[in-house]
Amino acid sequence: MSADDFIVTPWHVEGDIDYDKLIKKFGTEKITSELQDRIKKITGEDHFMLRRGIFFSHREMDRILNDYDKGKEFFLYTGRGPSGHTHIGHLVPWVFAKWLQEKFDVNMYFQLTDDEKFYAKPNLTLEETSKFAYENALDFIALGFKPEKTKIIINTKNIQTLYPIAAQVAKKINFSNTKATFGFTNETNIGMIFYTSLQSAPCFIEDKPVLIPLGVDQDPHFRLTRDIAPKIGKPKPALIHNIMIPGLEGPGGKMSASNENGTVYTTDDPNVVKKKINKYAFSGGQTSIEEHRKIGGNPDIDVSYQYLRIFFEPDDNKLKSIYEDYKSGKLLSGELKAILIEKINNFLSIHQEKREKAKDKIDQFLFENK
Ligand code: TRP
């Protein structure tokens, strides 16, 4: 573990993340209340993920807004490494991206990196990651992106389009840069070493600046992209970062698609959700009811409360009374879990229906090589 007691890289997140420290370490900027107000003014809406600091950091979001005010367009880009089924943590940047697309009426690219997960995970075949790419695409489509303005890029399928751009990028990144950024060693396979150039490629797919909503663990790739962008005559990608979503067994780290118990998948049925939350969701409560009534629980480390805050309870008043009741001991851990279970299952019953319908729509979304 690092001296800071937490690690955040695209392939490894561990420990209790101090986000102010992370901003300093990565060299990003905190989303200030001024920036929040500006976004609120332009979009006409106070998005709870901004208000609650779920999106907490950025790189040059202000430049994107300055340009937008002058009538200069941008486009959106985000992605997913298909190492398994989609879990609810993945939906955070996608839901926010969907909101941005709606408010700014801009194009959106979604990259599925089946190659990356094949390189990064010793036990996954390329057939498996490609299958998960398709499964993950269904979840993305189910969130309601506009087909006319949204394209899904699958690396192994769209390599013909990505490769000439990736080559431009790759020529400007040297081994010591990637090594220092990601901690690669002589044993790292060379697919991983080249990979950043493929994740960079969609940044330059249109001749406009790009804004990328993303989990902060993905920032290091784009730090490299931003460094080389001027060298290939392109604008630097702008970023807006969300916090890591804890796994059920949390409170630290992030939800990982490869730990089945620690993860709620979008494909889970209601009983599975109930069982997982009741059995595994880390509780901030006391060991006995008597003690809980007396001392109260700690919502700040309680994973069920965190899921409500991050995603499932957008109403501030309701969230606040849950917080206070839990803290005072009025609300028991089992009751808090029951609130979350109902929220997740309501969400998933609608999502799963849309996900089924997405199977007939997927062709409209897949990027076609020119
Ligand atoms: N590497 C990302 C992951 O493992 C996937 C990804 C590709 C991505 N392009 C992106 C994530 C752009 C955020 C933004 O999930």
Side-chain angles (χ1 to χ4, degrees):
M1 191 88 80
S2 71
D4 296 329
D5 279 340
F6 64 84
I7 301 172
V8 179
T9 79
W11 297 291
H12 187 66
V13 177
E14 196 184 321
D16 191 6
I17 305 163
D18 178 331
Y19 286 101
D20 287 324
K21 267 197 195 160
L22 191 63
I23 285 176
K24 287 211 186 84
K25 200 155 136 184
F26 277 9
T28 68
E29 289 175 74
K30 201 180 172 109
I31 297 180
T32 58
S33 49
E34 288 78 29
L35 184 57
Q36 280 186 15
D37 286 346
R38 207 171 156 199
I39 299 171
K40 217 181 339 181
K41 215 162 138 197
I42 296 177
T43 60
E45 206 179 308
D46 183 6
H47 197 287
F48 76 95
M49 288 183 186
L50 282 167
R51 191 168 70 226
R52 294 183 188 164
I54 310 306
F55 279 83
F56 70 105
S57 157
H58 74 105
R59 292 184 189 267
E60 288 193 299
M61 174 81 189
D62 41 346
R63 189 198 75 214
I64 294 288
L65 297 180
N66 292 345
D67 286 353
Y68 182 81
D69 282 345
K70 289 183 210 136
K72 198 167 146 191
E73 267 190 43
F74 66 94
F75 69 97
L76 292 164
Y77 158 44
T78 193
R80 151 94 176 124
S83 56
H85 277 292
T86 306
H87 57 65
I88 52 178
H90 290 125
L91 302 178
V92 169
W94 306 355
V95 163
F96 190 70
K98 151 83 182 13
W99 181 74
L100 289 171
Q101 180 182 59
E102 220 171 83
K103 296 293 167 180
F104 290 93
D105 192 26
V106 290
N107 287 343
M108 166 86 212
Y109 293 84
F110 185 64
Q111 181 181 40
L112 287 160
T113 58
D114 51 349
D115 55 344
E116 176 198 8
K117 292 296 152 173
F118 172 61
Y119 293 140
K121 303 271 175 180
N123 298 327
L124 282 179
T125 65
L126 205 46
E127 289 70 30
E128 286 167 326
T129 58
S130 301
K131 188 195 92 198
F132 283 130
Y134 172 81
E135 294 292 330
N136 297 166
L138 298 177
D139 289 296
F140 181 80
I141 294 167
L143 297 179
F145 290 92
K146 292 188 186 143
E148 323 81 72
K149 290 196 171 256
T150 308
K151 286 294 160 247
I152 297 175
I153 296 169
I154 301 177
N155 280 7
T156 60
K157 309 287 182 303
N158 296 117
I159 192 63
Q160 188 184 330
T161 300
L162 298 177
Y163 197 65
I165 317 173
Q168 299 287 334
V169 175
K171 194 171 179 177
K172 300 294 177 194
I173 301 178
N174 61 38
F175 183 45
S176 67
N177 294 150
T178 40
K179 208 164 134 182
T181 307
F182 302 113
F184 291 155
T185 67
N186 280 350
E187 282 64 47
T188 306
N189 70 60
I190 63 172
M192 294 286 280
I193 295 163
F194 180 73
Y195 170 72
T196 290
S197 44
L198 279 169
Q199 184 154 326
S200 297
C203 295
F204 309 118
I205 202 160
E206 285 196 16
D207 231 1
K208 287 176 199 156
V210 67
L211 173 65
I212 311 175
L214 77 174
V216 69
D217 59 326
Q218 296 297 318
D219 180 79
H221 286 297
F222 298 108
R223 198 152 75 223
L224 288 173
T225 317
R226 285 171 53 84
D227 286 345
I228 65 93
K231 298 183 187 162
I232 61 170
K234 301 285 187 192
K236 292 185 178 193
L239 314 173
I240 179 161
H241 307 100
N242 65 262
I243 60 169
M244 295 289 94
I245 314 308
L248 287 181
E249 294 161 292
K254 78 165 175 181
M255 196 181 258
S256 155
S258 30
N259 171 9
E260 293 214 358
N261 293 335
T263 310
V264 176
Y265 297 101
T266 59
T267 45
D268 282 346
D269 71 46
N271 282 324
V272 173
V273 172
K274 188 171 171 187
K275 231 167 53 201
K276 281 184 182 172
I277 300 289
N278 279 332
K279 188 154 178 202
Y280 298 108
F282 182 86
S283 165
Q286 306 302 336
T287 39
S288 72
I289 292 185
E290 294 72 43
E291 224 177 313
H292 189 90
R293 292 273 188 234
K294 210 158 72 197
I295 318 174
N298 181 355
D300 296 315
I301 60 165
D302 187 282
V303 167
S304 302
Y305 176 78
Q306 290 310 319
Y307 285 8
L308 291 169
R309 183 179 82 89
I310 291 169
F311 197 95
F312 291 101
E313 185 47 271
D315 183 324
D316 281 359
N317 288 330
K318 287 190 189 152
L319 188 72
K320 189 161 171 257
S321 67
I322 292 172
Y323 186 93
E324 285 168 356
D325 289 350
Y326 195 60
K327 213 169 164 123
S328 74
K330 189 172 155 202
L331 190 69
L332 300 173
S333 294
E335 293 166 341
L336 174 57
K337 287 186 176 194
I339 296 174
L340 178 68
I341 291 165
E342 198 192 331
K343 288 271 176 191
I344 295 182
N345 282 338
N346 286 344
F347 172 84
L348 286 184
S349 82
I350 298 167
H351 181 80
Q352 287 168 1
E353 241 172 68
K354 291 184 183 158
R355 199 179 181 279
E356 273 308 302
K357 291 193 184 127
K359 291 179 180 167
D360 298 326
K361 289 193 212 157
I362 191 159
D363 287 341
Q364 292 170 258
F365 284 89
L366 295 178
F367 185 89
E368 279 182 51
N369 294 312
K370 307 228 161 59

